[in-house]
Amino acid sequence: MCIIAQIRQAGGNLLGPHVKRHLRRLLRRNPAAQLYRSAFTGRRGLEIGGPSQIFGDDGALPIYEVLSSLDNCLYSSRTIWSGEVREGRSFQFHPAKPAGKQIICEATDLKPVENSAYECVLASHCLEHVANPLRALNEWKRVLNPAGLLLLILPHKDGTFDWKRPTTSLAHMMDDFRNGTGDDDLTHLPEILALHDMERDPAAGSKEQFRQRCLQNHSNRAIHHHVFDTASAIALVDHAGFQIVRVETGARCISSSWR
């Protein structure tokens, strides 16, 4: 069973149906959730990574159910996050919605997707796993129509196992773009091995298990190439040419909407 499915099953068993229904009602009354649901209602979307629990009925931003449709992009037909998937109409993102199209390609090179094909792009806890974030953002902008929205959620370094690492500068990410850095890049590996807070990441196992996983990152995409705070996230997306509409910050993440 994939990691996402295990988490969902465990959460469902703990809460029970009555508690989950009550939480859903509370989430929908949240002003921020209402704003995002209104902005994304009826839109045709593409999600990079996922499916993401945060966008589901029990999540903080339950927008899956208001979308007109949602396709998905994964870098491989098998990932540690989603398990095994198949291309075609197989992306199940909400029980009340028809399955979306599953696309297998890199987030930095959406070859199968035409220009301006979507009205929104969703990416939750994904961009930090991409070695060339500006290239990814340029691709996501390409597939959005002129009035399209990007909903991007990034982990804030202070709330994660990255808190000891220095925030990645915009200049560094610009260099990655100019140099054509690929996802096989391990430039940050020494820093990660030295400063990753293992106590905040029990799933990583021992230090040696974590090191071996990092060395296989091109196949598992588990490491965080870059580390963000609110200012660096805004600077990155602003440099990519998006107009900032809204920014939310929490204990562990930065969620923003741009177009």
Side-chain angles (χ1 to χ4, degrees):
M1 184 184 294
C2 70
I3 290 174
I4 296 295
Q6 289 175 327
I7 292 172
R8 285 177 176 166
Q9 180 175 318
N13 292 340
L14 285 172
L15 293 176
H18 297 296
V19 175
K20 288 199 291 183
R21 282 197 294 271
H22 178 64
L23 287 175
R24 288 172 187 172
R25 288 195 293 270
L26 291 177
L27 288 168
R28 286 172 175 79
R29 286 200 291 267
N30 179 283
Q34 288 181 351
L35 187 149
Y36 282 94
R37 283 166 62 85
S38 176
F40 285 85
T41 294
R43 288 182 179 263
R44 293 176 291 103
L46 173 69
E47 183 169 14
I48 312 296
S52 303
Q53 190 173 18
I54 193 170
F55 301 137
D57 289 347
D58 303 324
L61 296 176
I63 63 173
Y64 278 156
E65 70 171 349
V66 302
L67 294 170
S68 170
S69 63
L70 186 66
D71 296 336
N72 181 258
C73 170
L74 291 177
Y75 72 92
S76 172
S77 59
R78 184 171 184 82
T79 74
I80 63 173
W81 316 110
S82 301
E84 191 165 347
V85 300
R86 67 181 191 278
E87 289 188 285
R89 290 284 172 186
S90 62
F91 180 57
Q92 302 286 344
F93 65 98
H94 191 275
K97 298 285 183 176
K101 183 190 300 183
Q102 181 65 64
I103 303 166
I104 306 297
C105 65
E106 294 286 355
T108 55
D109 190 6
L110 305 177
K111 286 181 181 178
V113 184
E114 297 180 357
N115 294 348
S116 304
Y118 293 100
E119 296 170 315
C120 63
V121 169
L122 314 179
S124 175
H125 291 266
C126 171
L127 193 62
E128 68 275 11
H129 296 279
V130 176
N132 196 332
L134 278 171
R135 183 178 177 187
L137 287 170
N138 283 344
E139 272 293 89
W140 303 355
K141 184 169 62 174
R142 178 184 67 79
V143 303
L144 281 170
N145 68 20
L149 289 173
L150 166 64
L151 178 53
L152 175 65
I153 299 177
L154 291 167
H156 194 295
K157 59 170 286 188
D158 291 344
T160 73
F161 44 66
D162 289 324
W163 68 275
K164 296 179 183 179
R165 294 176 61 190
T167 302
T168 308
S169 68
L170 176 60
H172 178 94
M173 291 182 280
M174 291 170 64
D175 284 342
D176 283 335
F177 181 72
R178 283 191 292 265
N179 296 333
T181 299
D183 284 303
D184 57 349
D185 181 68
L186 292 177
T187 297
H188 296 276
L189 183 57
E191 173 190 301
I192 292 169
L193 294 177
L195 300 178
H196 188 90
D197 189 341
M198 300 295 292
E199 291 186 2
R200 289 196 182 185
D201 189 15
S206 68
K207 287 188 176 181
E208 179 57 24
Q209 289 172 324
F210 178 65
R211 188 181 76 87
Q212 290 298 327
R213 190 187 74 180
C214 289
L215 290 172
Q216 300 299 318
N217 188 67
H218 187 254
S219 61
N220 62 43
R221 309 295 173 93
I223 69 172
H224 290 183
H225 288 277
H226 304 299
V227 178
F228 297 94
D229 59 18
T230 307
S232 67
I234 291 173
L236 173 67
V237 184
D238 179 67
H239 183 78
F242 287 84
Q243 175 189 350
I244 299 172
V245 176
R246 186 178 178 89
V247 177
E248 311 273 355
T249 58
R252 292 181 176 272
C253 66
I254 308 157
S255 62
S256 308
S257 183
W258 289 285
R259 63 182 174 193

